[in-house]
Amino acid sequence: MKETYLFGIDCGTTTTKAALFDLKGREIAIASSKEVKVRHPEPSWAEQDMEDVRQAAMTAICKCLDKARVEPLKIACVSLSGHGGGVWLVDKSGKPVRPAIIWLDGRAGDYITQWKEQGLLEQLYDLSGWNLFAGMGPVTIFPWLMDHEPESLEKASKNLTSKDWVKFCLTGEISTDPSMASVGLVDFQSQDYSEDLLSLAGITSYKHLLPPIVPAWNVAGFITKEAAEKTGLKEGTPVTSGAFDGACSTLGAGCYRSGDACSNIATAGVHVVLSEKPDIDPERIYSLMCHCVPGIYYRTSMTMLAAGNLDWAERELCEKERIEAEESGISVYDVINKKIREIPVGSGGVLYLPFLQGERAPFVKPEARGTFFGLGDWHKKSCLLRAIFEGVAFSTRHNLEAMLKNKSLNSLYVTGGGSKSPEWTQIIADCLNAKVVVPVGSDSGSRGAAINAGVAVGAFESHKEAVQAMVHREREDAPEKENVDKYNKLFGIYKSLIQAMWPIWEKSSSVGVEAWSK
């Protein structure tokens, strides 16, 4: 297919990206929207104006096409990636019923507490494969709406997700895909909505709000005349069903086979191991969903913070490094990378627990907090910074081991901001005793969406062929034997420190220290 292009749209929580690729995976152009505000009308609530999200997507598409200067006729297909969870209600005319309740929302927390007390959480996990969280989606938020805002459910015709809403704005068609539907709603055997699960959550009466499920790699609609006028895309261009952003990012990094593993070291940590069987975890640690590749399942363990720990340290501790970066015309993170190269494995005896916002994987502990251990008056700031890099690497290993279940790991694909640091990826390789592969490109989510677009229109016969053509390696980091042995010893101390801190975190929380004022 000569001069054929694929368009990927990645609907992030606050920013939408649009990227155009050729069939060799070259990034022709990429553009981002302005930030979409997350509103907090009540403490712990998190909502977005759906019109703002629509406009962000349209803007990103226009900007990308302007940069690319490619004839829209040559774009064979469009596909989407988007953040999951939440509730996005539309009425029969397709208009939003209320602001979107997004995955960050915590209003349904009391329902999870009640289900835990009633012994229902384990049953819900065994049906859904998910450790529930408040903003997860209909399974948690519908019960809240039923009790507090029933009129919204009564007005609604369908419930969508972020990328499904944008897809509707582009095509006028309503659907979701297996990856999004399997966030707590699907029976993995039937590949359809679980009647038992809906009944246990008490939301059977609103099953009609759940949209049809169309595979991510299938065409689900076509660009409408109105959308073409607003974006510059050609009317009639096929649009695929799209998928959960974590699944698209994993695919865009090169993971499509059973056994492939990927860690996205972004603000949060998203760790994934692919499987050919929908095996729900008997230990109830990891969550399970469908991948955006046929016949492949997606085990995932998601930490509260990964690179977010370094963002905190940069903000609070690194004024000197920021000045040095400005004077040198480089990034502050380049300065930090340079400084930690001077510090040996083990950070001179400093260990860091990366739990600045509590933790949800591979254990659930809201009371957990970030902890530096082993400080002496001889330690430098660089020791603390390296300890943060190592603490996130230990967390990565902890989560992957929970999913691998004693199976070995030969290589790990790493994406996200953390992948830009060769020092960090080398530490991860040494800590896991596995080769770390960093893919080329600025956004693996939109690349994964484009891969699904290529499969949908026959540009590639399979996801395997598409990945081989469109995903390329920027670099590889092999583990260094001497460092592997040291990190094995340190990882044991890391896990012991978590166990030792467990009751102290609880005691600190019960005392209420964080709420004390003057």
Side-chain angles (χ1 to χ4, degrees), residues 289-308:
M289 62 193 301
C290 298
H291 193 26
C292 55
V293 176
I296 298 295
Y297 297 88
Y298 177 103
R299 297 177 181 177
T300 185
S301 192
M302 297 178 282
T303 66
M304 293 296 292
L305 285 181

Side-chain angles (χ1 to χ4, degrees), residues 186-234:
V186 160
D187 178 331
F188 289 101
Q189 301 306 317
S190 69
Q191 296 288 300
D192 201 354
Y193 296 114
S194 168
E195 297 286 356
D196 291 341
L197 197 154
L198 299 180
S199 176
L200 191 61
I203 60 174
T204 300
S205 58
Y206 291 101
K207 182 184 177 183
H208 66 280
L209 297 183
L210 304 180
I213 301 173
V214 177
W217 56 92
N218 283 11
V219 173
F222 301 87
I223 297 294
T224 63
K225 180 180 180 180
E226 180 183 3
E229 292 172 349
K230 291 182 177 179
T231 63
L233 291 167
K234 184 180 181 298

Side-chain angles (χ1 to χ4, degrees), residues 394-466:
F394 291 139
S395 173
T396 299
R397 174 173 171 175
H398 207 184
N399 279 276
L400 288 167
E401 287 187 352
M403 292 184 285
L404 288 165
K405 305 297 183 188
N406 299 315
K407 291 183 179 179
S408 61
L409 179 67
N410 295 319
S411 61
L412 176 71
Y413 295 81
V414 176
T415 61
S419 71
K420 308 307 178 186
S421 165
E423 289 75 18
W424 211 340
T425 53
Q426 184 63 58
I427 289 170
I428 293 171
D430 293 342
C431 185
L432 272 68
N433 191 23
K435 178 175 65 178
V436 164
V437 178
V438 178
V440 169
S442 58
D443 184 64
S444 59
S446 56
R447 185 180 298 270
I451 288 171
N452 275 319
V455 173
V457 293
F460 305 105
E461 292 186 1
S462 66
H463 285 83
K464 176 182 178 180
E465 181 183 318

Side-chain angles (χ1 to χ4, degrees), residues 156-177:
S157 174
K158 283 291 182 285
N159 175 66
L160 304 174
T161 66
S162 61
K163 60 90 180 174
D164 296 323
W165 163 244
V166 173
K167 178 177 59 186
F168 171 73
C169 294
L170 292 173
T171 68
E173 300 291 341
I174 285 180
S175 65
T176 192
D177 77 291

